Amino acid sequence: MARRRVHSDDQILDAARDLLVAHGAAAATTGAISERSGAPVGSIYHHFGSRTALLARLWTRTVQRFQEDLLSATAAAPPGIPRAVAAAASSVDFALTRPADARLLLLARRDDLLGSDEVPPGTKATLATLNTPVTALISQLATEIYGSSSPDHLELVTLAVVDLPYAVIRRHLLADNLTPAHQTLVTTTTRTLLRSR
C-alpha cells in the first residue's frame, strides 16, 4: 500500500512562495522550503524533481490562478468597455484576495527563477504559452471596443487594463495599503481612458 502524502504540493509551493516574497530567490533553497513546509527534502525532490522544476510549478500556478480569476470576471461581463473594466477590477481583486501570490508576480522575475536548463520539457512548453489567454483577451477587448485590434488599439487597451492596475497594485500592495478604494479608482480611470478614444 502506498504511503499517504502528509504534505500537499500546494503546502510546499506556498512555502517556496513565502520565502521568495520575504527574502528573494536565493533564500528559497530546498532546505529552507523543507524547513518552512515541514516536508522532507527527499519528498520535495521526489515530487518536483529539482528546485528549478518546483519554482517553475510555483510560477505557473500563480499565473494560472491570476488568469482564472481574470477570465472568469470578464466572461461574466457584457462585451466592450464593461468587460475591460471587469478585467482591470479583477487584477486589483486578485491582489486584495491573494496578496502573497500578487507579491510574487510583482517581486520575482520569471527569468531569475527559471533561467535554467533543468526545467522539464513539458513545463517549458507550458511556460511558452502561459500568457496566451491574456494576449487573446486584450485583442478581443480591442475589437469589441474599437472594432479592430490594430497596434494603437491594442496599446490603449493594454494601458487601461494591464499597465494601470499593475502600477496601482505595485505601489500600494508593496506599501501594505492596498484597499478596495483603489479598485474603484482603477475601474473609474480604466473606463475614462477607454472612452476617451
Side-chain angles (χ1 to χ4, degrees):
M1 179 181 292
R3 290 176 55 189
R4 185 176 66 85
R5 289 190 61 190
V6 177
H7 304 92
S8 70
D9 285 356
D10 279 335
Q11 286 175 307
I12 296 168
L13 293 172
D14 287 349
R17 176 200 62 202
D18 294 345
L19 286 164
L20 282 161
V21 167
H23 308 292
T29 64
T30 308
I33 295 167
S34 169
E35 184 176 342
R36 189 174 187 98
S37 67
V41 170
S43 179
I44 292 173
Y45 278 112
H46 175 73
H47 290 288
F48 294 97
S50 69
R51 174 183 178 272
T52 301
L54 186 157
L55 295 180
R57 275 277 299 280
L58 172 60
W59 184 261
T60 301
R61 182 191 74 164
T62 308
V63 172
Q64 287 174 338
R65 281 178 172 177
F66 171 78
Q67 290 179 357
E68 285 167 9
D69 289 357
L70 175 71
L71 297 176
S72 176
T74 55
I81 289 178
R83 197 189 312 276
V85 170
S90 174
S91 295
V92 182
D93 188 61
F94 181 81
L96 289 167
T97 58
R98 293 186 181 269
D101 283 345
R103 285 175 184 271
L104 178 69
L105 294 177
L106 290 172
L107 296 172
R109 291 182 63 243
R110 189 179 100 162
D111 291 346
D112 290 343
L113 296 180
L114 311 177
S116 168
D117 293 333
E118 296 177 36
V119 179
T123 304
K124 282 185 179 179
T126 299
L127 291 168
T129 59
L130 197 54
N131 291 325
T132 300
V134 175
T135 303
L137 176 63
I138 297 298
S139 180
Q140 178 187 9
L141 291 172
T143 301
E144 288 177 3
I145 297 166
Y146 301 116
S148 81
S149 57
S150 68
D152 285 349
H153 293 151
L154 289 174
E155 181 65 21
L156 183 55
V157 172
T158 301
L159 174 67
V161 171
V162 178
D163 298 342
L164 169 66
Y166 176 85
V168 171
I169 292 165
R170 183 173 186 84
R171 182 152 59 96
H172 292 286
L173 183 63
L174 297 183
D176 291 320
N177 64 5
L178 185 70
T179 70
H182 293 108
Q183 187 177 47
T184 302
L185 175 64
V186 165
T187 57
T188 300
T189 308
T190 295
R191 188 177 290 107
T192 301
L193 280 170
L194 294 173
R195 284 178 174 167
S196 70
R197 186 63 176 259

